Amino acid sequence: MTRRQLVGYFEEDSQVVHALRICRERGLETLDVVSPFPLHGIDEALGLRRTRLPWLTLIGGSVGLALGMALQYWSSASDWPLNVGGKPFNSFPAFVPVAFELTILGAGLCTVFGLLARTGLHPWRRVGPERLRTSDDRIALVVARRDASHDPRELRQVLFECGAVEVVEEELP
Amino acid sequence: MATRIRATTLQVAPAPTLVAPGTRSSDVTRDVCSPLERRPGRMWWIGLLIAGSALLVGVACVAYQIKVGIGTWGLDRTVGWGFDITNFVFWVGIGHAGTLISAVLLLFRQKWRTSINRSAEAMTIFAVICAGLFPVIHMGRPWLAYWVFPYPNGRGPLWVNFRSALLWDVFAIGTYFTISLLFWYIGLIPDLATVRDRARGWRRKLYGWLSLGWTGSARSWSRYEVACALLAALATPLVVSVHSVVSSDFATSVIPGWHANVFPPYFVIGAVFSGFGMVLTLMLVARKVMGYERYITQRHILAMCKVLVFTGSIVGLAYATELFVAWYSGSAYEQFTFANRMRGPLGWGYGIMVGCNVVVPQLLWLSRVRNSLLAVFVISLLVNVGMWFERYVIIVGSLERDFLPSSWSSYVPTPIEFGTLLGSFGLFFTLFLLFCRFLPMISMFEVKTVLAPEHGAEHSREGRA
Amino acid sequence: MNHPTSHDELLFPGDDPSPSRRAFLRLAGFGIAAGSLAGCSRRAPTSALSWTQAPEDVVAGRAWWIATTCGGCPSACGALARCRDGRPVKLEGNELDVDSRGGLCAAGQAALLGVYDSQRVPGPRWQGRSTTWAELDSQVGLELDALRKRGKVRVLTSTIHSPSTRRAIQDFVGHFADARHVAYDVPSAAALLDAHMHTHGVRVLPDMRFERARVVAAFEADFLGTWIAPVHFAARHAERRVPGGDRSMHVQFESRLSLTGSRADRRTRIAPHELRAALERLRDEIAVRAGAAAPARSSLREELGAAIERIAEELWGARGASLVVCGTNDLAGQLLVNEANALLENYGRTLDLARPSLQRSGDDRALEQLAGELERGEIDMLVCAGCNPAYELPSAFARALGRVKTLVTCSPEHDETARIAHCVAPEPHFLECWNDAEPFAGSLRLTQPTVPPLRDARTLRSTLRAWLGDTGSDREHIEEHWREAIWPRARGSESFEAFFRRALHDGVVELPRENVATPAFRGRVALEPSTPGPAGATLVLYAKVTMPSGAHAHNPWLQELPDPISKATWGNYACIAPGRAASEGLSDGDVVRVEAGGAVLELPVYVQRGQHEDVVAVALGYGRVGTDRFMRVGPQWIGASPTVDSGDAVGVNAAPMLAFEGGYLRSDVHPLRLVRTGRRAELARTQEHDTLQLPEDLAPHGHAERDLLHARDGHGGHGNPGLWPDDHANDGPRWGMTIDLERCTGCSACVVACQAENNVPVVGRDEVARHREMSWLRIDRYFAGEGDEVRADFQPMLCQHCANAPCEAVCPVLATVHSAEGLNQQVYNRCVGTRYCANTCPYKVRRFNWFDYAREDELANHSLNPDVTVRSRGVMEKCSFCVQRIQEAKFEARRTGRPLADGDVRPACAQSCPARAITFGDLADAKSAVARATADPRAFALLEELNVQPSIRYLGRERRAGRKEDPHGH
């Protein structure tokens, strides 16, 4: 079966927030908001859960630190200990900088690739239906439309009232 | 430091707007994307020609040096590092302002960064590329440069020396480059999507591929902002560590004039200082050439001038500290080294360094100077000259006359070395010009968040994070 | 071809003089081998490549030593050649030589290169065409037959110290109605010889026993550097230079700053023209003390007179244990010296005529007479050997050589004389042939070949004998002579074979002294009253420590060896006193035209402190033809400038300025004109800053001078406690070294020893000027004082092998690490060449391979030490404490199943040092010589405040009264 949804295009982010609230009140299912720049207060309005990306960062950092320290200690003091400038084989203070850099590296890589993975961003990703100027200056509010409930005209009405400059009905296969 | 910036920026009254009033999102999109869509202008071609030929000169010099030997440089048994490491430290330093602007100022919610951070980050990456070249070509056997990586090998396996500051450099610079590149690219994704949506044909394919299928849905944005905040939080200590490590190349040795505890903070602040100098230079040129006057406004320039005055003063403090410690240490070697640095054979270099880094920036206290683009441009250039000489004086000056008078020597660079330095500038500007041509030079989606619509206050929208 | 083959401990002069039975057999075998070797030396092998089939008892890769005699100069020091795979790779002093005591000078060690010189003449030449010996012999034979009854034949040589050769010359000369042998030396010591002829009736040099002298007064005698036998003198002098009770007092009177003068306790500058008067005053002062009536005072400069009186007093106080030596070639002067020494009762004590030195026999009067004969074109045949008259004698003489009807030269290379000679009968290199020597009466050396002749050459001995129809081999001639003339003098029970074999094995033989009365002083010789020579500018021609004579000019090691005083390489220069330079507005590198003795030279100026204002000093031995071979030495790149231009020569030849004066070849020439040309030619010096004084405007208060030469009070040489625990196991030896700065004379023998041992490349003038010399061991020279007070302190500087080595910590790839035996090791094949280590080294002893240094001369490459890697471009290198010798010694100890003993390991530098200033050994062994030396109160670690804990301790110079030790400089 085909899903159908209405997309309302706004020019002001404040209007979108307002529109979201109205739709919620009317029990409409708001699917998504698509904007050229981040909007604030939208997450709550859409009821999105806070991302757990920071945990991933923490893990990456810890792994980097552990690996860094292990590599340095093992290679300098265990695998092939060499007398270098009379310093002890395990010259811990000298190992700090490299361990630190590896911590940052691990954390950074995990953050970035975590983001790409969770958001499903990759070069071959197909972009969904052509949305008008949402990467330029329009903000799109996507509302689901069930066959049974609501009359599309009323729905359009609501969106226009909230300040939508245009409302388009989309069909998804 | 950053808090100080914030204070000063807020004190600007009446604050010139960050973006020319009346600019609308669609204008931003159009203005920023158009240079990518139309054929490049004459200025751009001329620039590329100059930069390109400088690059070629550098390539020729490096090729000859690698073929014949380091002896084609002016180094000797006493002075083992000259232009090579001077340029390395110089370029690393240049890089730091980019990270500072995009990360630190981001953390401190400095909105004025939005229209310059993209190019500042680009500058960082290109500068680090230039910097990274020198440690490689300065080796006697550059074809074995990969030996500095700790990889399992058939030599025992023989590992690397984790006690060597030079090895710390490998990790610091490597991490710094990786993180900066990712941070920069992540920041580009939404704007690449914008370019993609405006483009047709192969350009659409290309930018579609680059933008990783970004749509701008709310969920993406929320993760995206958190990720950016995290990267910023990582990049901030990183940038501090990188130049601290670079300074350790000298601080961990026994040579008077190198062996100083003040080096890490001294080098970091110097790096920020020189970096902002370079950002100013580039921005002043770019806004002219690319016609971005309405995005890179007086206010940005004023803010950066203040950073220059501030960091320049700290650099001055560092110089003073060095001298004080040399005197206070009671070490005859230290005392001689600094007397020699100021009044010895390289005294002229010391003069340039103090003049350009400490004295000249103080002129920016005068609002007349501050507000004259030409004056600011000249000062920013002088800052770069001064910071190059700082490194030269520290490295060469300290080596030329160390402990045993019998091996004192005087370093005279050869044309090959000048050519290599020129080449590094060529590489830097070539990359920067290509960047201006093929990537959105201003972070559109961020500027859009600080637009002042006809109605409503200026700070209506929050930036990233 | 067979070859001397024997294990090192056999041919190595061991402690017991009588070889074991194995050695006996082996040496017997060697005799045959050597015979056949000499026999087949007519064939001219073209290379000294290793054998394809080695004799079965040769262990590939193990060195053996062959006793030989250094042919670098007439002092004939006993030497050992270290041979590997059939070729000599290193020359060292022979410990059994009681005079050199195992020392060997820079020139001597460098002489090794001569055998591999690709530009030696390949074989005999007649009338400019190369020919065979048979052909040559018949041609010369015809000439000689014609000259036998009437016709003047002369043999012109440098001092010949080989008795068998002297005998051959006598026999040759005896065959002609009018033939004579003329010998000469440059610089000449003829006056010294003649003086003893007058005062003692023997024309010899007394053996000078510096070790017995409490007071030494030297006049213009650079006895530690170049005068007669510096290695012997240095070894003896050094015994008395160690601070303590019997430290000798050394006072120098000289016109230029010589190596010897720079080490003197007191120094007085004296113009050549003042010398005779000064000596006369000295003689008088001593005579008065000896009870003679006070004579009329000769006119003398006030302060000079005072200095003479002072030294006279000191000499008198130490009579019998004092010594006056004088280098002037003025008979009157030398007679005065002999009288002074006689009055001081030094003959028989510090001057030994019972065992006189035969190291100089040149006769200037005979030379001058020959010059006259040449002028008049009377000479029918002149045979030159071991000398190069066309180059090293006054221009008039060189011109007159053209008038000889048949000029024969035996020079091994195509030198100035060979270029005008009708016949060239090349002599072999001393390492290629049999030879003997008698440097001191009754002290003999035997020389055996170490390598088959690389050229078709023949010794003067064989050549002359061949021309007399005797075609025996060298060895036969020598054995015959020894059997007849030497062996009987031994008066031992030993059979001749045993005697000869021992001589062969040891290289040196001390014959018992004949009990004949030693010639006594015959009293004052009547002199014409002293006429002080003309005052004013004088040119002093001197021999350079690093280039004793022109014969060494083709030796790249010596050309690049920095002069210990001026630190200049590649060429000579005009030394000018600071005052004169100031008045004439000259500074280092200004090219001046020097006009004297009817010749003109153009030279760069070197401003030499401590030199007499009236004197301009120029070194002999440069400007040799063919030295443009060094045009392409060193790296070739766009920025490089050639060491010498094509067709040009390294330095200029000052010999044409030598002049006969009163029958003697004088090296002080006047009048002199100095004209500035306005051109400049920078000197390639290895040291830019000449003193320990810091530049006045930069010196911190109270630290005008860096004190690097003295042990400081309250420091025991062991650094501060470390921050970290030392968790490195260190059982077994801990190698260390001490260097005695009081003993070191700066002679630079160690520098060449190191270069030879460790395959240190020659980089050429341009690279030296860029401060990129590669020497692992350098000698830092610091001047102190001005005018008369000037002295030089020498500090041999090499890797200090620090326990807390800064260089190790900074290498990113672990290319330099510390061994369990305390060595700072450089791993060439791991080095990527960041030069970080060199920057961090406080002693700046690390050397970087800036280029691939040319090793194109295949033949010269045979001098490379197979035990040491030849470093490639882009890697760091430095002193390794001769780790290859440490390993060799360990293997040898293991092979012979005995523990490593103190003294088993001797780095090249320590081995070569004539003054025994360097001690090496195991610091962990409290009984070792080095450990004991480290306990010396003078011992200190250089820059110990850095706590890098070097393994080298310097035994500092002691602060003495009479020396200016003003910390604030002058």
Side-chain angles (χ1 to χ4, degrees), chain B residues 168-240:
Chain B
W168 303 347
D169 276 340
V170 175
F171 285 84
I173 303 295
T175 306
Y176 186 46
F177 181 69
T178 317
I179 298 294
S180 306
L181 190 63
L182 292 172
F183 195 26
W184 183 59
Y185 185 63
I186 294 294
L188 268 167
I189 290 176
D191 287 358
L192 288 169
T194 310
V195 178
R196 170 200 65 200
D197 293 349
R198 291 167 55 93
R200 294 275 164 276
W202 68 269
R203 294 184 71 251
R204 186 186 183 84
K205 254 194 194 53
L206 173 69
Y207 287 103
W209 192 78
L210 287 174
S211 59
L212 308 179
W214 175 268
T215 54
S217 78
R219 178 165 293 282
S220 318
W221 275 121
S222 71
R223 288 209 191 85
Y224 181 84
E225 291 187 281
V226 174
C228 289
L230 289 167
L231 284 175
L234 292 171
T236 307
L238 177 61
V239 73
V240 174

Side-chain angles (χ1 to χ4, degrees), chain B residues 64 66-67 71 73 75-77 80-81 84 138 140-141 147 159 161 164 249 255 333 343 402-403 406, chain C residues 638 686 697 706 770-773 780 809-812 829 831-836 839 844 850 873 945:
Chain B
Y64 183 72
I66 289 179
K67 182 175 181 301
W73 291 353
L75 304 169
D76 61 36
R77 49 144 160 83
W81 286 348
D84 46 4
H138 102 293
R141 305 198 289 175
W147 281 1
W159 298 104
N161 179 10
S164 163
D249 288 345
I255 302 299
Y333 297 115
R343 290 179 275 112
D402 64 346
F403 295 100
S406 62
Chain C
I638 49 174
T686 57
D697 53 328
R706 284 202 175 156
R770 292 171 187 266
H771 303 297
R772 293 181 190 161
E773 72 277 6
D780 291 346
V810 300
C811 176
N829 52 0
C831 178
V832 296
T834 66
R835 301 181 299 287
Y836 197 178
N839 290 340
K844 290 287 174 279
W850 302 99
R873 182 190 122 200
E945 55 270 48

Side-chain angles (χ1 to χ4, degrees), chain A residues 42-65:
Chain A
I42 286 290
D43 305 11
E44 301 73 27
L46 275 172
L48 302 180
R49 245 175 61 259
R50 183 153 174 62
T51 172
R52 287 157 299 172
L53 215 48
W55 292 107
L56 206 55
T57 311
L58 178 64
I59 295 167
S62 322
V63 172
L65 176 64

Side-chain angles (χ1 to χ4, degrees), chain B residues 64-81 84 135 138-145 147-149 151 153 155 158-167 248-255 258 330-333 335-337 339-340 343-345 399 401-410 414 416, chain C residues 636-639 685-695 697-701 703 706-708 712 724 767 770-773 778 780-782 795 797 806 808-814 827-836 838-844 846-852 872-875 942-943 945-946 948:
Chain B
Y64 183 72
Q65 170 239 319
I66 289 179
K67 182 175 181 301
V68 178
I70 298 290
T72 56
W73 291 353
L75 304 169
D76 61 36
R77 49 144 160 83
T78 306
V79 183
W81 286 348
D84 46 4
H138 102 293
M139 290 183 182
R141 305 198 289 175
W143 50 91
L144 298 179
W147 281 1
V148 300
F149 296 110
Y151 63 96
N153 56 64
R155 306 181 197 86
L158 180 56
W159 298 104
V160 291
N161 179 10
F162 287 106
R163 302 167 187 81
S164 163
L166 215 50
L167 193 83
S248 310
D249 288 345
F250 311 103
T252 59
S253 82
V254 298
I255 302 299
W258 282 17
S331 155
Y333 297 115
Q335 289 170 359
F336 170 76
T337 297
N340 182 59
R343 290 179 275 112
L399 285 175
R401 294 182 162 186
D402 64 346
F403 295 100
L404 304 188
S406 62
S407 39
W408 286 3
S409 143
S410 44
T414 62
I416 303 282
Chain C
Q636 307 294 316
W637 62 289
I638 49 174
R685 299 173 60 209
T686 57
Q687 192 174 334
E688 263 188 9
H689 193 79
D690 288 323
T691 69
L692 284 169
Q693 258 83 46
L694 301 173
D697 53 328
L698 305 180
H701 178 67
H703 295 279
R706 284 202 175 156
D707 183 4
L708 305 175
R712 297 187 216 140
W724 286 340
E767 285 294 289
R770 292 171 187 266
H771 303 297
R772 293 181 190 161
E773 72 277 6
R778 68 175 192 266
D780 291 346
R781 185 267 294 115
Y782 298 110
Q795 186 167 44
M797 188 53 60
E808 292 170 9
V810 300
C811 176
V813 293
L814 291 171
V827 189
Y828 305 128
N829 52 0
R830 175 65 169 174
C831 178
V832 296
T834 66
R835 301 181 299 287
Y836 197 178
N839 290 340
T840 319
C841 175
Y843 309 96
K844 290 287 174 279
R846 288 177 155 264
R847 297 288 178 259
F848 184 69
N849 285 267
W850 302 99
F851 298 95
D852 262 323
S872 67
R873 182 190 122 200
V875 305
L942 191 59
L943 302 177
E945 55 270 48
L946 299 179
V948 295

Side-chain angles (χ1 to χ4, degrees), chain C residues 112 230 268 283 304 478 678 696 820 822 837 870:
Chain C
L112 171 77
T268 304
R283 189 269 316 266
L304 180 55
I478 287 174
E696 264 122 22
C837 51
V870 173

